[in-house]
Amino acid sequence: MKTSVVIVGGGPSGLLLSQLLHTKGIESIVLERKTKEYVLGRIRAGVLETGLVKLMEEAGCAERLHAEGFVHDGTQIAFGEEFFRVDFTALTGTPVVVYGQTEVTRDLYEARERAGGVIDYDVENVVIHDVDTSNPFVTYSVDGEERRIDCDFVAGCDGFHGVSRKTIPADVRKEYEKAYPFGWLGVLSETPPVHEELIYANSERGFALCSMRNEQLSRYYIQCSLSDDPDDWSDEDFWKELKLRIPSHYAEQLVTGPAIEKSIAPLRSFVTEPMRWGRLFLCGDAAHIVPPTGAKGLNTAASDVHYLYNGLKEFYLDGSESGIDAYSENALRRVWKAERFSWWFSSLMHRYPDQTPFDLRIQTAELAFLGSNEAAQKAMAENYVGLPY
Ligand code: APR
Ligand code: PHB
């Protein structure tokens, strides 16, 4: 087989890139190691920056997002019993849209299928070859059948545990990592959200987040020990702890119910450089990971796709290599700003095991400054709604 771009990974990055390329008549084939149902079964954050909304519009996939997504003009920041609102729209002119990542992925799958896009599921043994030449190819197997696709470019959209990043020689790759000394215990419940906007809370017992998927589906998180197991937490214990971590004004209104999903995720900051090696380009989680505090995972994958899509468009439509040559530098410039914001917001909102009394006073002072200073809130809001591409 031959195509223009082989895309390894059928998550949000790979699907969005494939659909955008399609709108310009650029062929691609997506290789996904899981089934579509498995991919759609992942529970992930769903706060969309305007940049991602615009990319979905350009991809012709934004109809349901606009019909079912929730426009959020701000968020609540709580510490102890105190809380204040950061008004994104008043401060930046831009809101965010709350719309589950699963729904983004579903919309992209449906668009690819409507367009007759080629997606191979359940692939195994993906190997990326000769990306340091102008004739790369990818081999893999499906149902025991060995296959090969010759192409012009390979997009590594296969997430943190994929094969793409490791295709770049170890002596070329520079990796930067920070592991956080806690995890997030997340619960999905078929209950109305406790508040119409998200609530990020820093309490003496640790971080908590109140989020949602729709009017009858809520998503809650509490900071937990890395040694915790979801089975250690009964629904009752979870709700009791969450109520202790958010202001009583909200705790009194919290509607609890059975957890339909309960899981623990570790927090990590990670970046690999460069994001390009010859004809191979890394996008999304294949190249970088952020702690979920700032909801930057999906949105930073989207900005990678923006830069790569436009670079490939210039290559195929204008015969220019300037976009693909600048891809890694352009993508990384924004990746590191998202990494910084995600690290800063995580440092502000969590309790760290090694925090000294001085550290706690500084954290409290920073929260008080954010709560009382418009310039500080504007800086936070500009990062949260998404810095320019
Ligand atoms: N071959 C083919 N597919 C693979 C391989 C492989 N060797 N390894 C992984 N994959 C697939 C995974 O099954 C997954 O569906 O690649 C896809 C990668 O998707 P994500 O991990 O969702 O990464 P990405 O598309 O970059 O989206 C980033 O998703 O994980 C969240 O927090 C992250 O919100 C961010 C967004
Ligand atoms: C979520 O709804 O899952 C969510 C929202 C915002 C975050 C993280 C997760 O910062």
Side-chain angles (χ1 to χ4, degrees):
M1 279 186 285
K2 178 148 179 54
T3 191
S4 298
V5 184
V6 171
I7 299 174
V8 184
S13 298
L15 295 169
L16 179 58
L17 177 64
S18 180
Q19 181 62 13
L20 285 167
L21 292 173
H22 165 72
T23 66
K24 295 298 179 221
I26 301 166
E27 283 186 353
S28 64
I29 292 177
V30 176
L31 304 180
E32 169 52 51
R33 75 175 168 186
K34 299 293 187 182
T35 64
K36 173 180 166 184
E37 293 66 29
Y38 183 96
V39 176
L40 291 175
R42 294 178 180 137
I43 304 293
R44 297 267 174 72
V47 176
L48 277 54
E49 296 175 356
T50 301
L52 174 50
V53 173
K54 288 178 178 172
L55 283 172
M56 290 291 281
E57 290 169 349
E58 184 171 0
C61 302
E63 186 177 341
R64 197 161 70 97
L65 185 164
H66 285 307
E68 299 176 17
F70 295 83
V71 176
H72 280 208
D73 293 310
T75 190
Q76 295 290 338
I77 304 287
F79 54 117
E81 276 297 304
E82 297 183 54
F83 56 92
F84 58 89
R85 182 170 184 266
V86 177
D87 190 330
F88 304 140
T89 304
L91 292 163
T92 72
T94 307
V96 293
V97 175
V98 173
Y99 185 67
Q101 180 172 296
T102 301
E103 303 319 311
V104 170
T105 309
R106 192 190 314 282
D107 294 340
L108 289 166
Y109 268 130
E110 288 175 0
R112 297 308 300 124
E113 288 161 2
R114 280 197 305 273
V118 179
I119 303 176
D120 276 355
Y121 298 101
D122 280 326
V123 303
E124 295 178 304
N125 311 311
V126 171
V127 180
I128 300 166
H129 304 268
D130 293 356
V131 287
D132 53 349
T133 74
S134 55
N135 301 295
F137 63 98
V138 178
T139 56
Y140 63 104
S141 57
V142 178
D143 300 333
E145 177 197 351
E146 297 299 320
R147 294 186 186 173
R148 167 174 169 150
I149 309 176
D150 291 275
C151 55
D152 299 324
F153 301 101
V154 180
C157 301
D158 49 351
F160 186 72
H161 301 290
V163 296
S164 298
R165 183 172 68 253
K166 297 161 192 161
T167 301
I168 299 178
D171 61 354
V172 171
R173 274 183 282 131
K174 293 183 180 60
E175 299 188 346
Y176 305 84
E177 183 160 18
K178 177 181 182 59
Y180 295 80
F182 41 74
W184 278 18
L185 168 62
V187 158
L188 196 63
S189 61
E190 291 171 332
T191 54
V194 70
H195 185 55
E196 62 188 9
E197 293 180 334
L198 274 59
I199 303 171
Y200 289 88
N202 175 337
S203 81
E204 62 184 7
R205 300 176 68 90
F207 170 81
L209 170 59
C210 303
S211 183
M212 75 277 298
R213 294 291 178 270
N214 59 48
E215 293 103 332
Q216 287 307 320
L217 193 59
S218 296
R219 181 65 166 169
Y220 294 103
Y221 299 93
I222 58 173
Q223 173 185 344
C224 68
S225 164
L226 286 171
S227 59
D228 276 6
D229 183 291
D231 294 336
D232 298 339
W233 287 85
S234 68
D235 291 1
E236 183 184 1
D237 289 344
F238 176 85
W239 294 122
K240 180 182 173 188
E241 186 62 31
L242 177 65
K243 287 181 179 178
L244 291 172
R245 298 192 185 190
I246 61 178
S248 51
H249 169 77
Y250 293 110
E252 291 157 7
Q253 303 173 48
L254 183 69
V255 176
T256 64
I260 60 173
E261 193 272 348
K262 189 184 291 176
S263 55
I264 290 178
L267 276 65
R268 175 194 291 128
S269 297
F270 174 85
V271 179
T272 193
E273 296 182 1
M275 289 176 58
R276 176 205 184 170
W277 176 248
R279 293 291 181 113
L280 170 63
F281 301 89
L282 304 183
C283 277
D285 276 16
H288 43 75
I289 297 288
V290 284
T293 322
K296 291 299 166 204
L298 176 61
N299 291 300
T300 310
S303 54
D304 293 348
V305 169
H306 162 83
Y307 294 121
L308 182 53
Y309 158 60
N310 282 285
L312 291 171
K313 188 170 67 171
E314 283 176 24
F315 176 85
Y316 284 105
L317 275 59
D318 308 333
S320 164
E321 299 196 13
S322 61
I324 57 176
D325 288 345
Y327 170 72
S328 185
E329 182 184 351
N330 287 342
L332 282 166
R333 185 180 306 114
R334 195 176 188 276
V335 161
W336 276 111
K337 291 174 184 173
E339 291 285 343
R340 183 212 65 84
F341 173 68
S342 303
W343 162 82
W344 169 80
F345 200 22
S346 299
S347 305
L348 182 66
M349 300 307 294
H350 292 79
R351 292 299 168 100
Y352 288 65
D354 61 353
Q355 263 177 317
T356 66
F358 174 83
D359 296 334
L360 281 172
R361 285 289 185 275
I362 292 294
Q363 192 181 58
T364 303
E366 178 139 15
L367 275 161
F369 179 64
L370 182 63
S372 60
N373 184 280
E374 182 175 318
Q377 292 187 14
K378 182 173 171 57
M380 183 223 164
E382 287 185 350
N383 279 278
Y384 195 92
V385 302
L387 297 176
Y389 284 178

